[in-house]
Amino acid sequence: MTVVLPDCARAALETASAQGDPAAKVELAQELLKAGMPGGAESAVRLLTGVAERGDGWAAVLLANLYRQGEAVEQDGAKVVALLEPLAKGGNAGALTGLGELYLTGARNMPKDVPLAAEYFERAAATGDLWGKFQLALLLIDGNGVDRDLEQAVELLEEVSKAGDPWVLITLGDLYAGGLVPPAEKAIPYFEKAAATGNTAALTRLAQAYQTGLGTEAADPAKSREFWEAAVAKGDSFAGINLALLLLDDGGRVAVDRAVKLLDAGAARGEAWPATILADLLVRGEKVPQDAQRAVALLAPLADEGSAAAQVALSDIYAKGAGDVIADPSRAFALVDAAYKQGEAQAASRLGFMLVRGEGTKQDISRGMGLLDQAVSRSTDPWLAIDVGALLAAGDVVPVDGDRAIAMFKKAADLGSAAGLFRLGISYRDGVGDVEPDPVMARTYLGRAADMGDNASRVTLAQMLLASDVRADVDKGVILLEAAAEEHDAWGTTSLAALLLEGRVLPKDGERVRALLEPLAEEGSAAALAMLGDLYVKGADPIAADPPVGRGYYEKAAALGELGAKNKLGLMLLAGEAGDVGRGLQLLREVAEAGDGWAKIQLGDALTQGGAVDVDAVAARDYYQRALDQGIAAGAVKLGLLYLNGAGTLRPDPVKAAEFFEAAAADGDDLARIQLALMHFEGRGVARDVAQSLTLLGDAAQDSAWANGILGGYYADGRFGEPDYAKARDYFDRAVALGDASGSFRFGGLLSSGPLAKEHREEGLELVRGAVSQGIPGAAVEMARLEMMGVAGAGGGKAAEQRLLAEVKRENPAALRLLLQLYRAGGGGLSPSIAKAKASLDQYGGLLQPDAATFESMALQAAGPPTLDAMQAVGDSFGKLGAGDVTQAVQMLFWSNKNAYVYVLQQQLKKAERYGGPLDGRLTRGTIAALNAACRESSSETRVCSMGPLTPDYAVMMSKQIAGFDMGVAVN
């Protein structure tokens, strides 16, 4: 506040001045400058000039100050020197400091010369002048014009501070608080002395010191708030905003309401910072009710007045819209462009991103990237560099540029950002653009971020280390996960829990899994809920499996949108474990539509297999194709299997199947290689080519037990080439080594009943018996098959019956099907018994899948006399079979009931509109003609067709042709 003398006092000064009193003239000049009256400045200059010309030092100093600052007179550095240099030679402190200030900043006619300024301040300080000491101390702190000397600066400031000037005290405090001079906590007494004078800057510094702690002085939230409140009470806007932020962190209703009032008050004063904070609160709607319109109302006037901060904040609202404020990208662009033109730092990056993406303006990638590069080079915000790096690494808007992306991430890392180090680690782990993966560099950067306490880096590095074959790496990976879990990091905790649930790296420990996950689950972590579901569905000692409890956790996780939980819950429902198949399908569809390719595969499987779900092969085909389009190679194999076997209304198409298998095999898929090899063995959909089959199986045999088993069978059974005991044994041994325990008894079965039996039957039987004694699944059924064939000793049929009955009671469906075959056809000295077959099917039929149960019912119907009613029943059952069972069913009918066999062929030819005669099971001339036409259509092997319908090879050929006929309304 400017204090103006009363009129009487001023009149007295004017009188004294008129009488020639130099002191009165100087004081009157100062009063005229303070009053700011018209003509007052000119009068003041005349008064000071007159007195100065008479040698008055004080008048000369005041006049020089006017010329230096350009107040009341035109700025003129030369006149300042002319006025002060004579006085300075005489040691006048005011003149010395005046010249120091002149050379410190420069003026018209006098260039800046900081070293010279320092000399004048030093000379003034030598006279004891406090201002000279203070100015010299500032230069010594910055090393500006003089060598930096913090010790001397502190000494000077200590001398000056004795006068009690709060800003000198604050300057001393800042030296300690800023770490330039230790210890940091020594700043607090200086701030306290300054605050005692009522200085608000000192109060805010004390508030900040106690808010975060300073040196050995611990944080004290109560003291911090006390100082903020004191500064607010003195009207300090900065304090008001910081107190508001502190209250918002408190989060209580009363605290938030007070914070809003403080921000409102600042906004009402036209201050941009509190207005932008309050607007952000109103847009987010988290701590206060959302009111985007009010946010706009707060910001718009400030933006119109040219506040760049308000323009940026308002642009953010219009960029995407908020609440009832509709997105307006064009307006957003105009606002941020206006802020950028004012030099607002944040505006440059926002403008750059909008130009690159074409948001609210025509896309201009070149200009946009230029702005972003410029913004990053000028910014100390690591997240800006990370965002630009991510843009360059993604490749969805601008071409991937790995080198530039990594440069951006390095800039963020250099700014101390753990997130920047993390992105560097990910970039080198996966590679980006032309930058190849480099596991060593990836580990280095992730390790540095992990050392900084970054849990995402800890977990990512742990995943890399856990995949190592080096035990020390694995142990370090576990330690990293333990560290992340210790800090209650959700990703780290669930990753550690997964190891304990899996039991591969760490021993299974269900109790610890539960202890780790339950706190996260209580906080609403969907991942933790889903994993608790896994724990109870699978069980992990000492936690017993409890699928209903597991399903409950899946339900909670699914309600939170967790896709894995939706997927598992959907599969549980489809399996009939909860009786809601429709919902199971819907859950899988939701996961699939969210982009999960494997969920599409699972949907295709469910719609292909039938059971609780109606078969919809066309929909299954579409899901498999969509999975393949996503890059899921299994989609090609699934499509191949679907076209190979057919399903529902989709008839088999071996040619299409082969195309899919060939594509997948070319990409290295072993299952596709195996399927294609089997097709080449049979000449189904492809040319018969045993050599190609062996090549494909050889390619797959390195990792596939199944491929080795097929090769072992090839060399053991002699169907497609000469038997070779040594090769057969070698391949079956490999199959067993790769995890196929059944390889031993399958080899034994072939040795016992195939072309090598003459020399190796006893060896084969011993292999099967050994597998039975070891309890290998399937071995008992194989032994029964050999007993039925009479190759395992006398009375084999009875022994097979007893063995199979025991297996059936163990709920073995394969044993039931072989037992039914034994009862229907007899074998090993045991006579057929349709009654026993029917009783067994009635009693144990629940063990069979629907298609298998239909097949066995049809086989029983065919076992009786070939009456027309019986054949019609067989035909009805045949129509209910899945496409994959058709070939086996035709061949079974050929061997068990020739009339039923002919009836079914007539029936299927009629459905395909290739036969117009009666359905009677009789091999009439018309029936034979239709069958031969179909046979010749399906095969180039005319020799087989010429053998006649009642020969085994012909039956096999026709079974494959029938499988390719339309089963109802087919779509391919």
Side-chain angles (χ1 to χ4, degrees):
M1 179 190 298
T2 300
V3 179
V4 179
L5 286 175
D7 289 344
C8 59
R10 181 174 173 180
L13 278 177
E14 289 176 344
T15 300
S17 174
Q19 293 173 353
D21 185 339
K25 289 182 179 183
V26 172
E27 188 171 351
L28 179 59
Q30 290 176 301
E31 288 303 318
L32 290 170
L33 290 169
K34 289 179 187 177
M37 295 173 63
E42 290 81 356
S43 298
V45 169
R46 284 195 300 273
L47 288 167
L48 291 173
T49 301
V51 176
E53 287 174 348
R54 291 182 176 85
D56 187 278
W58 183 232
V61 169
L62 291 175
L63 184 59
N65 192 47
L66 294 179
Y67 280 111
R68 180 176 62 82
Q69 295 179 349
E71 294 178 4
V73 291
E74 185 179 11
Q75 188 181 56
D76 190 335
K79 283 190 177 181
V80 174
V81 173
L83 285 164
L84 298 181
E85 189 58 46
L87 296 172
K89 289 177 180 177
N92 184 293
L96 290 166
T97 57
L99 286 167
E101 288 172 337
L102 170 67
Y103 289 113
L104 183 64
T105 59
R108 191 176 69 87
N109 298 330
M110 192 58 60
K112 178 178 178 179
D113 187 339
V114 179
L116 185 56
E119 290 180 14
Y120 280 111
F121 287 137
E122 189 170 9
R123 287 168 61 189
T127 69
D129 183 78
L130 296 181
W131 186 245
K133 290 181 179 181
F134 182 68
Q135 290 294 338
L136 179 59
L138 295 181
L139 294 179
L140 289 165
I141 291 169
D142 294 335
N144 189 12
V146 292
D147 292 336
R148 192 179 200 192
D149 189 336
L150 295 176
E151 184 178 353
Q152 186 185 353
V154 170
E155 289 178 4
L156 289 167
L157 291 172
E158 288 282 9
E159 293 173 14
V160 179
S161 70
K162 293 174 183 177
D165 186 295
W167 287 107
V168 176
L169 291 164
I170 288 171
T171 303
L172 265 169
D174 286 345
L175 279 175
Y176 288 103
L180 291 176
V181 181
E185 64 273 11
K186 193 172 179 180
I188 290 178
Y190 291 110
F191 292 152
E192 287 175 339
K193 289 178 184 177
T197 69
N199 185 287
T200 57
L203 290 168
T204 59
R205 280 168 168 76
L206 285 167
Q208 290 170 317
Y210 284 112
Q211 186 169 324
T212 59
L214 188 61
T216 59
E217 189 73 38
D220 187 334
K223 274 189 176 182
S224 174
R225 181 166 175 175
E226 178 185 332
F227 285 117
W228 285 127
E229 292 279 10
V232 169
K234 290 183 173 292
D236 188 89
S237 297
F238 176 76
I241 295 167
N242 279 279
L243 179 58
L245 294 172
L246 199 65
L247 292 166
L248 289 171
D249 285 341
D250 177 288
R253 185 72 267 150
V254 173
V256 170
D257 288 345
R258 173 103 191 280
V260 170
K261 287 180 180 177
L262 287 166
L263 295 171
D264 248 334
R269 292 191 294 270
E271 297 171 10
W273 188 19
T276 55
I277 296 172
L278 182 55
D280 184 61
L281 288 174
L282 292 166
V283 168
R284 291 178 183 274
E286 295 169 355
K287 298 190 176 182
V288 299
Q290 188 180 52
D291 190 343
Q293 290 287 1
R294 187 181 169 213
V296 170
L298 281 167
L299 296 172
L302 293 168
D304 291 343
E305 291 169 6
S307 166
Q311 288 167 343
V312 170
L314 192 56
S315 171
D316 288 344
I317 295 174
Y318 283 120
K320 296 181 180 178
D324 53 358
V325 176
I326 298 171
D328 187 342
S330 296
R331 191 168 183 181
F333 181 83
L335 284 161
V336 81
D337 189 40
Y340 170 71
K341 289 173 179 174
Q342 293 190 67
E344 169 63 34
Q346 292 183 1
S349 59
R350 282 170 167 79
L351 188 64
F353 280 118
M354 294 186 82
L355 285 164
V356 166
R357 293 168 179 152
E359 296 170 347
T361 187
K362 184 179 179 181
Q363 188 177 44
D364 189 338
I365 292 175
S366 177
R367 184 185 172 212
M369 289 307 302
L371 285 169
L372 290 174
D373 285 337
Q374 179 188 84
V376 170
S377 68
R378 296 176 178 176
S379 174
T380 57
D381 178 10
W383 284 107
L384 174 58
I386 290 170
D387 287 343
V388 176
L391 181 72
L392 291 163
D396 50 355
V397 180
V398 299
V400 174
D401 189 331
D403 290 325
R404 287 180 69 196
I406 283 177
M408 290 294 171
F409 297 145
K410 282 183 177 176
K411 168 75 183 285
D414 291 342
L415 289 169
S417 168
L421 290 166
F422 173 74
R423 290 305 299 256
L424 281 168
I426 295 297
S427 298
Y428 281 112
R429 181 194 67 180
D430 302 333
V432 55
D434 292 333
V435 178
E436 295 292 326
D438 186 334
V440 174
M441 291 289 285
R443 286 191 185 191
T444 299
Y445 283 117
L446 290 171
R448 285 173 57 190
D451 290 343
M452 292 172 68
D454 183 72
N455 285 318
S457 297
R458 282 172 171 161
V459 177
T460 305
L461 180 56
Q463 290 172 340
M464 294 183 70
L465 294 169
L466 290 168
S468 170
D469 294 329
V470 180
R471 185 67 222 181
D473 285 347
V474 174
D475 292 342
K476 185 177 179 182
V478 172
I479 291 170
L480 287 166
L481 291 183
E482 292 277 9
E486 184 69 25
E487 294 185 4
H488 308 291
D489 177 75
W491 189 15
T493 302
T494 52
S495 297
L496 180 61
L499 294 183
L500 293 162
L501 185 59
E502 181 186 75
R504 183 176 57 84
V505 173
L506 296 173
K508 279 191 178 184
D509 188 341
E511 191 58 55
R512 187 163 182 226
V513 170
R514 182 166 63 183
L516 283 167
L517 296 177
E518 282 185 342
L520 288 176
E522 289 170 4
E523 294 170 4
S525 166
L529 288 164
M531 194 169 288
L532 281 167
D534 294 341
L535 171 64
Y536 283 101
V537 167
K538 301 172 185 176
D541 191 54
I543 306 294
D546 191 340
V549 173
R551 180 193 168 186
Y553 281 113
Y554 286 155
E555 290 278 9
K556 291 177 182 177
L560 293 170
E562 215 280 335
L563 295 178
K566 283 187 176 183
N567 182 271
K568 291 167 184 173
L569 180 59
L571 292 174
M572 287 182 79
L573 295 171
L574 286 177
E577 296 177 25
D580 193 345
V581 173
R583 183 169 172 240
L585 279 176
Q586 179 56 35
L587 286 168
L588 283 185
R589 287 192 184 103
E590 289 176 14
V591 179
E593 295 308 319
D596 189 306
W598 283 105
K600 295 179 177 71
I601 296 288
Q602 291 165 336
L603 272 168
D605 290 346
L607 295 168
T608 300
Q609 294 163 3
V613 178
D614 291 337
V615 172
D616 187 343
V618 175
R621 177 193 63 190
D622 293 342
Y623 279 119
Y624 289 148
Q625 184 63 56
R626 288 172 62 191
L628 179 59
D629 293 342
Q630 274 187 243
I632 307 293
V637 178
K638 292 289 185 178
L639 283 164
L641 291 170
L642 182 60
Y643 279 111
L644 182 64
N645 300 316
T649 59
L650 193 74
R651 67 175 181 239
D653 187 337
V655 174
K656 274 191 178 179
E659 290 173 359
F660 282 111
F661 288 141
E662 285 169 351
D667 287 336
D669 188 279
D670 285 342
L671 179 56
R673 287 168 171 162
I674 293 167
Q675 290 291 350
L676 195 57
L678 295 174
M679 295 175 74
H680 276 296
F681 273 138
E682 298 179 358
R684 188 178 179 197
V686 291
R688 188 172 184 276
D689 188 339
V690 173
Q692 178 65 5
S693 291
L694 295 177
T695 298
L696 288 163
L697 290 170
D699 290 341
Q702 182 175 352
D703 299 311
S704 169
W706 188 19
N708 281 284
I710 295 171
L711 283 166
Y714 167 81
Y715 286 109
D717 66 17
R719 282 188 302 152
F720 302 107
E722 284 296 316
D724 186 321
Y725 169 81
K727 286 185 177 179
R729 184 174 190 89
D730 182 53
Y731 280 116
F732 273 118
D733 284 346
R734 292 184 193 178
V736 172
L738 286 169
D740 181 10
S742 70
S744 61
F745 71 75
R746 288 191 294 109
F747 182 42
L750 289 168
L751 288 179
S752 302
S753 59
L756 296 171
K758 183 175 180 180
E759 296 180 5
H760 299 284
R761 175 168 290 160
E762 284 307 313
E763 178 188 351
L765 289 172
E766 282 305 308
L767 285 170
V768 179
R769 291 187 187 107
V772 172
S773 66
Q774 293 173 42
I776 296 175
V781 174
E782 177 63 19
M783 192 70 220
R785 186 185 70 82
L786 296 173
E787 289 166 337
M788 288 167 59
M789 293 173 65
V791 299
K798 191 65 178 175
E801 180 186 25
Q802 296 305 312
R803 192 182 301 279
L804 291 171
L805 280 169
E807 286 297 306
V808 168
K809 290 175 181 177
R810 295 189 185 100
E811 300 186 347
N812 184 333
L816 175 59
R817 297 196 73 173
L818 188 59
L819 180 64
L820 293 173
Q821 179 184 328
L822 175 62
Y823 285 147
R824 287 195 310 268
L830 187 70
S831 300
S833 174
I834 301 304
K836 281 187 176 182
K838 187 176 185 309
S840 296
L841 185 59
D842 289 343
Q843 183 176 358
Y844 300 111
L847 296 177
L848 303 178
Q849 292 295 321
D851 284 351
T854 300
F855 183 98
E856 295 300 337
S857 296
M858 182 190 69
L860 280 176
Q861 291 160 352
T867 64
L868 186 59
D869 287 343
M871 288 188 290
Q872 287 176 342
V874 169
D876 290 343
S877 294
F878 189 91
K880 297 175 184 176
L881 290 174
D885 292 316
V886 168
T887 301
Q888 183 185 359
V890 171
Q891 295 178 46
M892 180 274 295
L893 290 172
F894 171 82
W895 291 106
S896 63
N897 188 324
K898 295 295 192 293
N899 293 101
Y901 158 71
V902 172
Y903 182 93
V904 165
L905 292 182
Q906 290 173 333
Q907 179 191 53
Q908 299 308 308
L909 287 169
K910 191 177 229 19
K911 284 185 179 179
E913 299 181 352
R914 303 179 186 209
Y915 171 67
L919 301 180
D920 55 11
R922 296 171 61 193
L923 205 55
T924 63
R925 182 176 297 175
T927 300
I928 292 171
L931 288 171
N932 285 339
C935 181
R936 285 191 294 271
E937 178 184 323
S938 70
S939 175
S940 60
E941 297 186 28
T942 56
R943 177 185 60 81
V944 173
C945 298
S946 67
M947 291 178 180
L950 298 182
T951 58
D953 287 347
Y954 192 104
V956 171
M957 187 68 67
M958 285 307 300
S959 71
K960 296 175 181 178
Q961 177 67 342
I962 289 295
F965 288 169
D966 290 345
M967 308 293 286
V969 181
V971 182
N972 271 45

